[in-house]
Amino acid sequence: MVVGLLDGAFVGRKSRSTLLFHDIQVAIAGSGAEDGSTEIKNRGIPLKANLSSCHPSYPSGDQIGSCCPTPAWSELEIIDFQFPDPSSPIRIRRAAHLVDEEYKAKYEKAVAIMKELPLDHPHNFWRQADLHCIYCTSAFDQVNSTAPFKTHHSWLFFPWHRALLYFHERILGKLIGDDNFALTFWSWDHPDGMHFPTMFTEGALNNTERDAIRLPTVVDFNYNEDRGLTDGELVLDNLALMYHHMVSGAKKAELFMGCKLRSGVDGDCDGGGTIEESPHNPVHGWVGDRNNPVKEDMGAFHSAGRDPVLYAHHSNIDRMWATWQKMRNNELEFDDDEWLNSEFTFFDENLQFVRIRVRDVLNMSKLRIDYQDIGLPWLDTRPQPSVHPEIARSILKKRHDHNEGILRMPGETAEAHKLQRNGRLDKSITIRVQRPRINRTQEEKHKEEEVLFIYGIDTKRSDFVKFDVFINAVEETVLVPQSREFAGTFTNIDNSCTNPKGRVEKKKVKPHLKLGISELLEDLQAEGDDNIWVTLVSRGGTAINTTVEGIRIMYMK
């Protein structure tokens, strides 16, 4: 389905098409609900979980599954987190494809011991897995609120997972008497590490609930279905996507970290950062078993912790955060006490129940953790336009003029256009979006990033859904992240959670997607254009039941 926009209103007649984007408009960052949330009543209150509110939280067949702890955490004494001794050795996390046999044996032994602990022991492997289930399926409400406490799709994503890794790592070391034990990372951002790590196919590190067909191949960050690409093509695609999601599309903290989740039912938002959207989400789905209902284990939040490779995957996610921090000279992401003082609870290696805050996990040196330096090859993979920008602009203008404002891509007939169901991404949608500012100076672009804001994304939370976004694309069906027209991707993996009796929720907060496009527009020679053509492309038919309310340009400081 293709719809055109001219001067802030739809062109074309309702007799020819049902209007999909009913609220296309220009917005400037900082007003109203542009972070995906509404004005809230509880500003200034940090987020924390009500530990007495745990409830069954995820669908399990026709039942509701529960990962709530026993005894209830609310009955336990909580102590504040203390940094490790600053003179203690730094634990160096090494790339999984580079570790030696001695390390593999040590890691496998630690997990084997963890799996043999009594089921009610906090260090038991399955109780550790439940941590991911509890926090990532919103099993807790927030303190003083019926709003769910969640750690995905917001600025809590990186801090919570860094804390999870910190405690899990130290518990493993404690079990084998090695105070210097460190996790390994799956270096899927490096060509040498893009295959599934073989160490996780052996002994206690193995898991049967994986996709046996995909694992021998190079991981696909743009995964939606088996695309039939060679390993070399996948490597180039992955490197180009990494450049976009770490560099050109991640110039502002919110773009990289995720939306600003606030406390209370009015503070909700649903917008992951660049790395959470991909590679994080697609890699989860790529590993999960295609024969299971929602690609368990790795393909669903409630079950991902059952697979030991989760910790290697998230170690590399954490490495990407550490890398991005260094690229910004460790500038504080958000000078916001609500974020800095938001807190999580974990058992440490000494079975103490510990309160750790976001501010505690921002400095890797204080945590005595670092990563092996294996290089960042994606830094040198800035994509190029697939079609010369002047030629692309001419083609798009001719299509627009020829179709009386309704832009169609090659092969789409007027009849097909009429038959589209309102709002469904079962075919590509292309729309012209106005830009309020053109020819901005480098100083202006440094101060404010131009952002493409796709909002009101409505999809079933239990479905794997993926659509890509392109700007000024002449033929979007053949484009990949190596093409400069690629602006980003939306990916949903199973994150369904139940609404317990008594929880009062406001109207469903729909996900949104924010894509930084200033550098992209430079490369497409579109900085002086009054508008751009934006195309949404469902991948593998996964977005057939997904709708989008609108697209607009905003500016982010």
Side-chain angles (χ1 to χ4, degrees), residues 290-301:
R290 70 177 72 191
N291 297 312
N292 289 335
V294 286
K295 294 186 172 67
E296 296 95 339
D297 283 331
M298 275 285 282
F301 287 167

Side-chain angles (χ1 to χ4, degrees), residues 22 35 116 173 187 195 207 227 234 250 283 287 291 305 311-312 328 343 345 384 389 399 401 412 418 429 446 468 475:
H22 61 265
D35 63 353
E116 292 299 321
S187 52
H195 283 87
N207 182 42
R227 296 193 287 156
L234 284 171
V283 171
V287 173
N291 297 312
Y311 301 96
R328 289 165 42 93
E343 63 183 58
T345 48
Q384 298 298 313
R399 288 182 189 159
D401 293 343
E412 184 172 18
K418 290 179 184 178
I429 294 177
H446 178 74
D468 291 340
E475 175 50 276

